[in-house]
Amino acid sequence: KLIDKASVIFDPPVKKLLPVKLGEKEKNILSLVAEGFTNAEIGMELMMSKRTIEGIRKNMLAKTQTNNTAALVSYAYKNGILT
C-alpha cells in the first residue's frame, strides 16, 4: 500500500482529453521548452519576442488544461504530441 501511495505522489495521473491540435509553431516551441530553453532563448531561436513566446505558452497551457510547464511537457509526451 505504501508503494501505491508513493506512485500517486510521484506520478500523478495525466489528463487524457480529446486530442488537442497544436500548430507547427506551438509544437516547435513545446519541443524547445522540453529541452529546457527559456522564453528568451526560444524567442531568439525562432525570431520572436519573449512576450510572444510567453503568450503562446500560456495558450498551450489553456488548450491542454495543464497548470505548469512540467505538466504541459508530460501531457505532450503521454498524448503523442512530442516523441
Side-chain angles (χ1 to χ4, degrees):
K1 291 215 178 214
L2 182 58
I3 292 174
D4 290 339
K5 289 179 183 179
S7 68
V8 170
I9 294 170
F10 296 110
D11 192 20
V14 172
K15 298 175 188 172
K16 189 144 186 171
L17 306 170
L18 293 174
V20 171
K21 299 281 186 186
L22 296 181
E24 285 304 310
K25 186 185 311 182
E26 291 171 315
K27 289 178 186 176
N28 288 340
I29 291 169
L30 188 52
S31 177
L32 293 171
V33 167
E35 291 180 40
F37 285 76
T38 66
N39 289 338
E41 292 168 335
I42 295 169
M44 289 176 59
E45 179 77 20
L46 301 179
M47 294 187 216
M48 296 179 189
S49 75
K50 176 184 166 187
R51 291 286 208 200
T52 300
I53 301 302
E54 289 170 358
I56 292 170
R57 286 180 67 166
K58 183 177 178 181
N59 290 339
M60 286 191 288
L61 289 170
K63 280 184 179 181
T64 59
Q65 297 182 17
T66 53
N67 297 319
N68 57 53
T69 300
L72 174 62
V73 171
S74 178
Y75 176 95
Y77 279 112
K78 290 185 178 182
N79 289 279
I81 296 168
L82 292 177
T83 56

